[in-house]
Amino acid sequence: MPKVKINNVELYYEVKGSGDAIVFTHGASWDHRQWEPQIDELSKRYKTITWDVRGHGQSSLPKGKVDSEDFS
């Protein structure tokens, strides 16, 4: 389960395929799985990167108050 730690938050991500990269960001209350049908097709020709926004799916939230600008 790949994760990267940035600003005291662990962000989950998945990389599939190879070639030019396409990054997918899910909507509110979803997670990286929102894009599964698209990833199944596009990863045949491109490197696809999906991730869970902080506090969603397998990504964490930092302790304490969270500012909405932290999601940008």
Side-chain angles (χ1 to χ4, degrees):
M1 157 168 32
K3 290 187 178 182
V4 62
K5 190 168 188 171
I6 301 173
N7 296 331
N8 296 317
V9 174
E10 287 191 340
L11 297 176
Y12 175 84
Y13 67 94
E14 290 185 2
V15 179
K16 294 183 180 175
S18 62
D20 292 336
I22 304 173
V23 179
F24 294 82
T25 301
H26 62 80
S29 75
W30 285 78
D31 64 19
H32 70 280
R33 295 174 298 170
Q34 173 182 359
W35 300 108
E36 284 180 350
Q38 291 84 358
I39 299 305
D40 289 344
E41 278 303 309
L42 292 172
S43 65
K44 295 174 184 175
R45 293 176 304 224
Y46 300 96
K47 178 187 289 187
T48 58
I49 304 165
T50 55
W51 65 294
D52 287 340
V53 174
R54 57 176 51 213
H56 292 74
Q58 298 177 49
S59 291
S60 66
L61 277 175
K63 295 183 188 284
K65 185 178 178 184
V66 176
D67 187 321
S68 61
E69 289 188 20
D70 293 334
F71 287 88
S72 299

